[in-house]
Amino acid sequence: MKLLTKSLIPAAAAALLLTGALATAAPAAAADCPSGHFCAWEHTNFDGQRANWSGDDGWWESWIADEDSSWANHGISGPGIPDHVKVYSRAHQGGHMTICLAPGQEVGYSAAANDDGDSHTWAMSC
Amino acid sequence: MPRLPPLPLRALCAAAAVAALTSGCASTPGSVRPPDVPAAERAGDDLLKSAQHTLVTRCLQARGLTLDRKASVAEDRRLQAALFGSGPSELSLTLPTGHTVTAHTDGCLADARRTLYGDDERSWFTAEVTVNNLRAEAGARMNEDPDFQEALARRNRCTAAARAAAPERCAREEAELAEVRSRLEPELLAEVRALRDKELTAYRQLRNRALHRALDVVPARS
């Protein structure tokens, strides 16, 4: 179950979002993503099949590449430990960064990044 | 392919790094000098992460949990709830890129952040999420740029025609796309940074406050 595709997002909606932070309905439950891992789900609100990684992946498997609809960073922080996750629109950390998540942050859906991720890397910061 | 060690090893690395960070910089034996906030960003990051790690470890210990051992699936779910929080997320911010980033306020991680960044967790969350995604916001703007769209379409047409068998045929299109991207990126980033100046200022102020608090959390350097 996908929420929206990029092509369905009108410019007016994007412009509205640019006006600032908007409160939206949060997912009903926390994401089930193993401690120390970054997770991506094929459906919104952490539903459907889940991919999880404790390290980098420059080329997501085909079932999740461009099929990702929600994400969670359950990385563990520590000095010298890369605990932020950057998601990219193309393989091998190419294209543009679609989102960067600090530990504990989750994205139940995204109008823009839905079905857009191809790779990710852990980083010290965004 | 995973490049980082698995969680238990990473936790051990973190513990070792905390020890290294907090036991260095010895001055005269027996004397304790007031510690300074690190000037370098990376050193500041390490100080904040050390303090957060210390606070999280203490909080988990109080709940009979630890980061350092391999847990079963059921144990890890308990750890996840204690560390990251559970139930509906209390913090939520929709970014101009369309992402709605959420976080919880009831776990040990949120507790640690309250100690470091203050009780107004909504302000810190808004500043952090916004600043962390300035590059992503600039990327979203790039997608709307006609020059970029044109270069991307040319490259995509070429790769579709050449297929994977001869990707080198599209080297010129790839180079043109890279050139447009590297030309647009700095100006779009500057544009976005100017637009988010309020959040950037709040981020710097809250981070600076957190650095001072972190010095009280990690063991004193002596």
Side-chain angles (χ1 to χ4, degrees):
Chain A
M1 185 190 74
K2 301 294 186 181
L3 187 71
L4 286 171
T5 62
K6 281 193 297 183
S7 60
L8 293 177
I9 306 307
L16 175 65
L17 289 168
L18 282 168
T19 59
L22 300 173
T24 57
D32 181 13
C33 175
S35 307
H37 287 239
F38 164 62
C39 298
W41 287 261
E42 61 176 343
H43 299 323
T44 59
N45 292 332
F46 324 116
D47 203 5
Q49 200 173 344
R50 182 191 76 196
N52 53 279
W53 302 266
S54 61
D56 297 352
D57 192 340
W59 197 337
W60 289 1
E61 286 183 50
S62 58
W63 68 267
I64 190 70
D66 295 325
E67 296 290 339
D68 50 327
S69 297
S70 46
W71 308 262
N73 177 0
H74 280 186
I76 305 293
S77 294
I81 302 290
D83 57 0
H84 289 61
V85 172
K86 297 177 178 182
V87 180
Y88 290 85
S89 61
R90 286 179 62 83
H92 307 298
Q93 290 77 39
H96 68 278
M97 185 179 80
T98 61
I99 192 158
C100 184
L101 295 176
Q105 292 178 355
E106 303 170 344
V107 176
Y109 72 89
S110 165
N114 192 47
D115 301 343
D116 198 24
D118 277 344
S119 61
H120 76 273
T121 187
W122 292 86
M124 298 300 291
S125 62
C126 291
Chain B
M1 288 286 286
R3 286 183 210 153
L4 292 177
L7 173 65
L9 185 54
R10 291 174 69 190
L12 285 174
C13 292
V18 171
L21 187 74
T22 57
S23 65
C25 309
S27 56
T28 311
S31 72
V32 177
R33 64 175 173 78
D36 299 322
V37 167
E41 181 142 347
R42 174 68 188 272
D45 285 347
D46 276 352
L47 174 61
L48 289 171
K49 287 180 180 183
S50 293
Q52 191 171 289
H53 188 268
T54 301
L55 292 165
V56 161
T57 302
R58 274 185 212 155
C59 173
L60 289 174
Q61 273 171 355
R63 300 181 189 198
L65 295 165
T66 173
L67 291 170
D68 298 339
R69 68 187 178 86
K70 198 162 190 162
S72 66
V73 171
E75 285 173 331
D76 187 68
R77 288 213 171 108
R78 211 174 134 232
L79 176 62
Q80 280 183 54
L83 179 54
F84 299 110
S86 57
S89 43
E90 297 83 3
L91 300 171
S92 173
L93 178 73
T94 297
L95 290 165
T97 55
H99 296 79
T100 297
V101 182
T102 57
H104 299 265
T105 56
D106 59 331
C108 285
L109 183 58
D111 265 358
R113 286 183 174 155
R114 267 192 296 277
T115 301
L116 293 170
Y117 297 95
D119 289 335
D120 186 2
E121 48 208 340
R122 195 163 297 281
S123 293
W124 169 245
F125 179 75
T126 300
E128 184 193 33
V129 172
T130 303
V131 170
N132 279 350
N133 286 285
L134 292 176
R135 201 167 284 279
E137 189 177 343
R141 284 174 174 238
M142 194 182 304
N143 284 341
E144 303 298 315
D145 184 274
D147 288 352
F148 179 77
Q149 287 176 343
E150 211 174 291
L152 184 64
R154 270 198 306 271
R155 194 282 310 276
N156 287 349
R157 276 195 303 273
C158 178
T159 51
R163 307 235 172 191
E168 68 279 2
R169 283 186 203 159
C170 302
R172 184 169 57 88
E173 286 78 3
E174 284 286 2
E176 281 172 2
L177 180 61
E179 186 275 321
V180 172
R181 186 177 277 130
S182 61
R183 174 169 57 80
L184 289 175
E185 198 165 66
E187 61 190 66
L188 288 173
L189 201 53
E191 206 174 284
V192 166
R193 289 177 75 86
L195 199 64
R196 307 291 164 213
D197 185 53
K198 190 179 79 173
E199 288 86 352
L200 272 164
T201 302
Y203 177 86
R204 286 190 206 102
Q205 287 169 346
L206 289 166
R207 179 181 156 94
N208 193 45
R209 188 198 301 174
L211 284 166
H212 283 92
R213 289 179 178 175
L215 290 170
D216 295 332
V217 173
V218 293
R221 302 164 195 193
S222 60

